[in-house]
């Protein structure tokens, strides 16, 4: 291997990491949160924390409760049954303007009031892959930005392996007794090697999920348009509404029939298309908790008679595609794997953060330059600022009154407002002062959030632990741990030795 | 123009490497997209179902995009970095066009 190849890839690794690091950190951090999206939802939507009843009105009860309050107007509705992670029914549907809405129904058929929050499933999940640009009619642009981040991540992984010629030795090397730069690089290498398979798998599978956006030529060469392509590779039943009202068969009966056809497997969700119409039909999507592949094996039933209309069978290529999808979205039912995804995701964030520090440390002689201060401010906002914005959003979630108009939107504004303020603070308070202040605020928020949760909902941490409410207790404990780490980080940045990170060599001497 | 001290890194190669890194993904994408279309066309021509041909080409195209992107970044100069993706893009486009023109799709 020539020296110039390594040098070329080193330039790419350094500058690609600096320019795209903030975006990649953002994607990995939001992805890590989404691993526990249902648990964060329970924390942010207190009414959905418990079923509060033992009776079950079933899908029919949930649908009836929804239709009593909402005129679906022929729009489809998707019903998700209660699960260990969500003790109530969730119903997704569209309003007249085509916006997604979510309501929850207790198993006894009581429609819960609007929760005034998008939660993690409604905010962090779409943010992870589309940056919420769909609200500006730029959905594809969001996919492209995140997809390019995925591709750059893969290129970073490949170039990182080539650049670090002693990668195996680096894996076992951490030398804090040597220079700070060496210690930071060791941390970056150890974390990078440890999370390498995870990062490669997540980045490639993440890009593959939206491959039809990034690489459409493959199917446009053989199909007239994308609709024809999807109809062929994901065969499903479809028909127009008749415009004539009709009585529907029992949704629970359809779910039972689907379970019989799948050999006992439960439905992940039911999709009700053209509800109340003579041409209405119901799609049942199989839950796949014991396999990696997200092959939901869709069954379509006539809504009036309950007769099976279509059974989706995927070809080998789509099965491979669904395997990659399942690997990425991790819907399999394993707490160990879910925690592993979460921790590896955070480790990947740590690798990016230490990469920033390595870059800054190497150029500390130019600490007064505008470019250095900009990089420092962006790095601070992209890492600590993002955590701060998340904690601020959770704080707003507990403090804003439930009856407040546009409460969910206000939470989102708080998130982006604090994130922007973090960037501004990075410019106004350069060096470690700004970072230390942000860590102090983060620690304060994270350490008080469990208390705030206990005061506003009655689910104080000891109560949650005693009741076995794992979702709420888990979020509270994670917040406490984050707060403690932020506090330790702020304390360590107050140490005189840490100040060297912002001082040029001459000033240190 | 005064001579640079011997220890000062020259901006040329680093700037060119940065340009290669920035341009690598779009150039590699063009080549991968053309090859993905060509692959799908050839697979259909060989008798594979349209759905299989399209999805495998789509996934293969992503891998090729990555491989060519890293290749372009690792090349010694800009001309070399563009040569292989450019050739593959032309080749892929030519294959797709000729299969399409032959009415096989």
């Amino acid at each position: 291997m020539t020296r110039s190849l390594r040098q070329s890839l080193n330039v790419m690794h350094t500058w690609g990491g600096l320019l795209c690091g903030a975006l990649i950190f953002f994607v990995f951090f939001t992805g890590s949160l989404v691993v526990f999206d249902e648990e964060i939802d329970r924390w942010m939507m207190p009414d959905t924390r418990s079923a509060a009843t033992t009776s079950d009105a079933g899908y029919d009860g949930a649908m009836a409760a929804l239709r009593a309050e909402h005129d679906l107007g022929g729009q489809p509705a998707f019903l998700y049954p209660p699960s260990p992670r969500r003790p109530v029914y969730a119903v997704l549907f569209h309003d007249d303007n085509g916006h997604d809405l979510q309501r929850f129904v207790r198993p006894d058929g009581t429609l819960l009031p609007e929760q005034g929050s998008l939660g993690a499933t409604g905010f962090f999940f779409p943010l992870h892959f589309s940056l919420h640009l769909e609200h500006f009619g730029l959905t594809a642009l969001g996919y492209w930005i995140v997809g390019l981040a995925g591709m750059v991540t893969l290129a970073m992984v490949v170039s990182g392996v080539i650049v670090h010629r002693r990668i195996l030795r680096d894996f076992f090397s951490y030398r804090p007794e040597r220079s700070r730069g060496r210690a930071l690089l060791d941390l970056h290498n150890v974390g990078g090697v440890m999370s390498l398979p995870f990062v490669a798998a997540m980045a490639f599978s993440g890009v593959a999920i939206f491959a039809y956006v990034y690489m459409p030529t493959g199917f446009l060469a053989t199909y007239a348009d994308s609709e024809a392509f999807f109809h062929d590779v994901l065969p499903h039943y479809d028909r127009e509404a008749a415009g004539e009202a009709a009585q529907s068969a029992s949704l629970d009966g359809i779910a039972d029939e689907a379970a019989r056809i799948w050999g006992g497997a439960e439905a992940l969700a039911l999709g009700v298309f053209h509800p109340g119409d003579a041409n209405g039909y119901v799609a049942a999507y199989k839950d796949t908790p014991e396999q990696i592949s997200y092959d939901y094996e869709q069954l379509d039933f006539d809504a009036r008679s309950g007769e099976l209309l279509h059974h989706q069978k995927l070809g080998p290529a789509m099965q491979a595609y669904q395997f990659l999808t399942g690997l990425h979205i991790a819907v399999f039912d394993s707490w160990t794997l879910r925690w592993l995804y979460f921790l590896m995701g955070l480790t990947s964030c740590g690798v990016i953060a230490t990469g920033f520090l390595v870059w800054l440390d190497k150029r500390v002689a130019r600490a007064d330059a505008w470019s250095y201060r900009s990089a420092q401010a962006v790095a601070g906002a992209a890492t600590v600022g993002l955590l701060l914005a998340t904690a601020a959003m959770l704080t707003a979630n507990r403090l804003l009154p439930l009856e407040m108009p546009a409460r969910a939107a206000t939470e989102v504004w708080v998130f982006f407002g604090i994130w922007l303020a973090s960037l501004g603070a990075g410019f106004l308070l350069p060096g470690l002062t700004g970072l230390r202040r942000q860590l102090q605020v983060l620690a304060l928020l994270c350490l008080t959030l469990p208390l705030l949760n206990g005061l506003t909902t009655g689910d104080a941490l000891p109560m949650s632990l005693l009741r076995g409410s794992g979702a709420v207790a888990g979020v509270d404990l994670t917040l406490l741990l984050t707060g403690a780490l932020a506090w330790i980080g702020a304390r360590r940045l107050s140490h005189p030795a840490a100040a060297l990170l912002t001082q040029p060599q001459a000033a240190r001497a | 123009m005064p001579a640079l001290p011997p220890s000062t890194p020259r901006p040329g190669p680093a700037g060119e490497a940065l340009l290669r890194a920035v341009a690598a993904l779009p150039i590699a994408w063009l080549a991968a997209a053309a090859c993905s279309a060509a692959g799908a066309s050839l697979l259909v021509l060989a008798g594979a179902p349209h759905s299989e041909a399209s999805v495998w080409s789509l996934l293969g195209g992503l891998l090729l995009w990555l491989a060519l992107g890293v290749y372009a970044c690792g090349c010694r100069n800009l001309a070399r970095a563009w040569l292989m993706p450019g050739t593959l893009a032309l080749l892929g486009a030519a294959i797709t066009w000729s299969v399409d023109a032959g009415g096989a799709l």
Side-chain angles (χ1 to χ4, degrees):
Chain A
M1 191 171 297
T2 63
R3 180 176 161 76
S4 65
L5 169 66
R6 190 167 284 132
Q7 279 178 334
S8 295
L9 290 178
N10 197 16
V11 170
M12 186 193 88
H13 193 84
T14 304
W15 289 99
L18 179 76
L19 298 176
C20 299
L23 179 62
I24 298 170
F25 185 97
F26 167 80
V27 173
F28 270 92
F29 178 73
T30 50
S32 305
L33 290 184
V34 168
V35 172
F36 289 115
D37 56 352
E38 288 286 358
E39 287 68 28
I40 299 173
D41 273 6
R42 300 292 76 73
W43 196 94
M44 294 179 81
M45 304 173 184
D47 286 346
T48 67
R49 290 178 183 176
S50 76
T53 175
T54 50
S55 63
D56 189 359
Y59 287 103
D60 291 316
M63 191 65 176
L66 181 78
R67 293 185 72 181
E69 194 163 311
H70 290 277
D71 177 18
L72 293 174
Q75 294 284 337
F78 298 88
L79 295 99
Y80 293 79
S83 69
R85 298 177 70 195
R86 189 194 54 250
V88 293
Y89 283 89
V91 190
L92 292 178
F93 57 105
H94 308 291
D95 65 5
D96 294 338
N97 299 321
H99 294 138
D100 293 338
L101 293 175
Q102 185 177 31
R103 294 295 299 268
F104 295 95
V105 183
R106 284 214 172 100
D108 64 0
T110 311
L111 186 69
L112 290 171
E114 289 193 34
Q115 297 300 299
S117 175
L118 294 175
T121 46
F123 179 67
F124 288 112
F125 183 46
L127 192 66
H128 171 66
F129 61 81
S130 74
L131 312 176
H132 277 301
L133 291 184
E134 67 276 10
H135 293 295
F136 305 98
L138 299 169
T139 311
L141 179 65
Y143 292 166
W144 266 103
I145 293 172
V146 176
L148 282 174
M151 266 297 160
V152 171
T153 307
L154 286 168
M156 292 293 117
V157 168
V158 175
S159 59
V161 169
I162 296 171
V163 166
H164 298 126
R165 75 187 93 173
R166 296 180 296 267
I167 196 160
L168 265 181
R169 206 178 76 180
D170 281 348
F171 183 49
F172 299 103
S173 300
Y174 177 57
R175 291 155 285 187
E177 73 283 0
R178 290 174 64 177
S179 69
R180 186 185 55 238
R182 183 71 253 173
L184 285 172
L185 193 57
D186 281 346
L187 264 182
H188 182 69
N189 291 340
V190 168
V193 174
M194 201 164 68
S195 60
L196 193 140
F198 174 81
V199 172
M202 287 303 109
F204 184 72
S205 58
V207 174
I209 289 175
F210 292 107
Y212 63 89
V213 176
Y214 313 131
M215 202 60 64
T217 50
F219 64 81
L220 289 178
T222 50
Y223 290 95
D225 52 34
S226 58
E227 199 177 328
F229 166 69
F230 282 116
H231 225 282
D232 196 18
V233 298
L234 285 171
H236 55 275
Y237 190 79
D238 194 10
R239 66 185 178 194
E240 295 293 321
E244 179 189 326
Q247 199 71 24
S248 297
S250 162
L251 292 176
D252 293 291
I254 287 174
D256 290 343
E257 176 61 11
R260 191 190 63 75
I261 294 169
W262 288 325
E266 294 292 316
L268 174 73
L270 292 187
V272 183
F273 294 85
H274 312 312
D277 187 89
N279 265 0
Y281 61 96
V282 178
Y285 310 95
K286 185 181 166 189
D287 196 8
T288 56
E290 286 165 3
Q291 62 186 51
I292 294 174
S293 179
Y294 186 53
D295 182 4
Y296 46 78
E297 207 181 321
Q298 183 175 337
L299 298 170
D300 296 289
F301 297 90
D302 185 275
R304 269 202 301 185
S305 63
E307 173 198 350
L308 180 66
L309 298 169
H310 183 259
H311 187 166
Q312 183 188 74
K313 295 277 186 194
L314 298 180
M318 274 314 285
Q319 282 179 5
Y321 177 84
Q322 293 299 70
F323 176 83
L324 289 172
T325 306
L327 184 70
H328 192 88
I329 63 176
V331 287
F332 32 84
D333 189 17
S334 165
W335 283 102
T336 313
L337 280 175
R338 208 166 282 142
W339 274 104
L340 197 61
Y341 266 60
F342 181 70
L343 294 175
M344 291 311 285
L346 293 185
T347 306
S348 310
C349 291
V351 172
I352 300 163
T354 49
F356 278 136
L357 288 174
V358 168
W359 191 92
L360 290 168
D361 185 65
K362 275 188 182 169
R363 289 155 186 82
V364 74
R366 281 174 272 164
D368 295 330
W370 182 85
S371 54
Y372 185 90
R373 287 176 59 175
S374 301
Q376 201 173 40
V378 170
T383 51
V384 179
L386 183 58
L387 269 75
L388 192 56
T390 307
M393 188 186 189
L394 295 179
T395 309
N397 175 268
R398 289 296 83 231
L399 288 179
L400 295 174
L402 198 58
E403 62 277 7
M404 178 185 176
R407 186 180 186 271
T410 310
E411 281 181 14
V412 174
W413 281 114
V414 167
F415 176 87
F416 286 113
I418 295 295
W419 201 12
L420 201 62
S422 157
L423 182 65
F427 280 105
L428 290 174
L429 296 168
L432 297 181
T433 315
L435 200 60
R436 189 170 62 237
R437 293 274 156 77
Q438 294 194 40
L439 280 171
Q440 285 167 343
V441 178
L442 177 66
L444 181 74
L445 288 180
C446 288
L447 292 172
T448 51
L449 269 168
L451 191 67
L452 207 55
N453 175 46
L455 288 173
T456 52
T457 65
D459 286 338
L461 183 56
M463 300 294 289
S464 305
L465 287 170
L466 281 174
R467 273 204 296 263
S469 177
V472 179
V475 174
D476 276 349
L477 285 170
T478 307
L479 284 168
L480 286 175
L481 183 64
T482 309
L485 290 174
W487 184 73
I488 292 168
R491 291 264 301 176
R492 294 200 69 163
L493 287 183
S494 307
H495 196 272
L500 295 175
L501 193 61
T502 53
Q503 288 173 8
Q505 293 286 342
R508 280 190 241 169
Chain B
M1 188 177 154
L4 291 169
S7 59
T8 307
R10 291 176 186 280
E16 196 205 38
L18 186 58
L19 180 63
R20 275 204 312 277
V22 171
L25 282 183
I27 292 165
W29 181 85
L30 272 178
C35 290
S36 174
S41 306
L42 288 173
L43 283 170
V44 169
L45 197 64
H50 279 53
S51 56
E52 293 296 305
S54 302
V55 178
W56 285 124
S57 305
L58 202 130
L59 294 174
L62 285 183
L63 284 172
L64 189 61
W65 184 14
L66 172 67
L68 287 174
V70 174
Y71 165 81
C73 288
C75 279
R76 286 183 195 177
N77 59 50
L78 207 57
R80 283 190 187 199
W82 289 31
L83 184 64
M84 191 194 280
T87 310
L88 281 175
L90 286 175
L91 194 66
I95 290 172
T96 310
W97 178 80
S98 54
V99 174
D100 195 27
L105 304 180

